[in-house]
Amino acid sequence: MNGHVKSMRFQQFMGPATIPFSSALLSLLLVMALTKSVAASRDRCDIPLHPALKLTRHIHKETVDLIQTYKSSQGEILDLPCTVSGSNIPDPSISGLEASDRIVNIYTHLQAFFPHFKRVYAQQKDLQLPSSPVLTELNSVWIRSDSLAKLINNIYQSIFPNRPVPEPVGGPTTLPPPQNIFQQKVYGCAVLKTYKEFLSNVSQNLRSLKREICRKRIRINT
């Protein structure tokens, strides 16, 4: 698998045959529904962040369940470690003093996680049966995360209509070198565990951004 990702687009990460047409359509319909919710309530101070917060919480719950499914499906390994060094998994923390910086940081973090999801999915596809719930749950988290990335981008454009989303710093995501089977299992668990922590931080930041943007809009209106 290519260790470098040359595109910021999640659909390009996956390739045309990675996700079935029905899954891609589900992702598109989900984004359209969430975007419609944003547009319909744009005048309220707590929107457009509420749909993103709701979706983030849902993905977090799915990821918690996925980790348990993942661990239980890795064969004879009873206590699978979920930490690994030198794998270039993104840091789960979110940085930025201004609202715009934090929104961009959430977006670029999501983009940085996608190549790792693709690697884990490909590895598990080789290790699991086609009917494995691990593949189904990985696919679901993947699709919803794609929708979240699109929604975060829409939020940024809604709040800052005259500012393009900045390009990420540091270039394309670097994936770990070839791994043996045990290393693959540990790496996959580490990706999911780190992603769960990242989603917790996203929820916390989105709640903070709701309060911050709401106060600013109230001051402007008064």
Side-chain angles (χ1 to χ4, degrees):
M1 181 177 295
N2 191 348
H4 295 278
V5 178
K6 299 182 179 179
S7 171
M8 286 292 297
R9 294 290 183 183
F10 182 68
Q11 297 289 350
Q12 292 174 336
F13 285 149
M14 297 182 297
T18 303
I19 287 185
F21 174 76
S22 58
S23 298
L25 179 60
L26 173 63
S27 177
L28 176 60
L29 292 175
L30 180 59
V31 173
M32 290 174 64
L34 291 170
T35 303
K36 182 178 179 181
S37 174
V38 169
S41 50
R42 186 171 292 172
D43 293 335
R44 292 170 51 192
C45 66
D46 61 338
I47 305 294
L49 293 164
H50 178 70
L53 180 56
K54 183 177 180 180
L55 181 57
T56 301
R57 288 169 175 165
H58 184 81
I59 300 172
H60 182 273
K61 181 181 182 302
E62 281 195 333
T63 304
V64 171
D65 295 338
L66 171 57
I67 291 173
Q68 296 303 315
T69 303
Y70 183 93
K71 286 183 175 181
S72 66
S73 66
Q74 301 307 311
E76 71 284 356
I77 303 176
L78 299 179
D79 188 16
L80 183 69
C82 291
T83 57
V84 62
S85 60
S87 60
N88 297 306
I89 300 173
D91 190 288
S93 61
I94 297 169
S95 60
L97 297 177
E98 299 294 330
S100 59
D101 297 330
R102 278 174 282 162
I103 294 172
V104 168
N105 199 251
I106 291 171
Y107 179 79
T108 55
H109 266 67
L110 283 166
Q111 298 291 345
F113 270 106
F114 291 153
H116 291 279
F117 267 110
K118 182 177 181 180
R119 168 68 69 86
V120 173
Y121 187 89
Q123 291 174 341
Q124 289 299 306
K125 193 174 181 180
D126 290 338
L127 296 173
Q128 305 289 337
L129 294 174
S131 60
S132 170
V134 172
L135 300 178
T136 302
E137 293 180 27
L138 268 171
N139 195 49
S140 178
V141 170
W142 199 349
I143 291 171
R144 294 187 191 279
S145 298
D146 179 33
S147 299
L148 179 60
K150 290 183 173 69
L151 185 55
I152 293 296
N153 182 66
N154 290 342
I155 288 170
Y156 185 89
Q157 297 298 335
S158 175
I159 301 174
F160 309 103
N162 298 320
R163 302 186 198 174
V165 178
E167 292 294 324
V169 178
T173 301
T174 301
L175 295 173
Q179 303 161 312
N180 61 39
I181 291 178
F182 178 76
Q183 289 172 332
Q184 290 178 19
K185 294 178 177 181
V186 173
Y187 164 71
C189 191
V191 169
L192 298 178
K193 177 176 179 290
T194 306
Y195 192 61
K196 182 192 72 171
E197 295 170 2
F198 165 69
L199 291 171
S200 296
N201 292 333
V202 171
S203 293
Q204 180 180 352
N205 274 268
L206 289 178
R207 288 194 298 268
S208 176
L209 286 166
K210 282 177 63 177
R211 293 190 296 268
E212 180 180 335
I213 293 172
C214 183
R215 284 196 300 267
K216 288 182 178 179
R217 291 188 178 184
I218 290 175
R219 285 198 297 268
I220 291 173
N221 293 334
T222 56

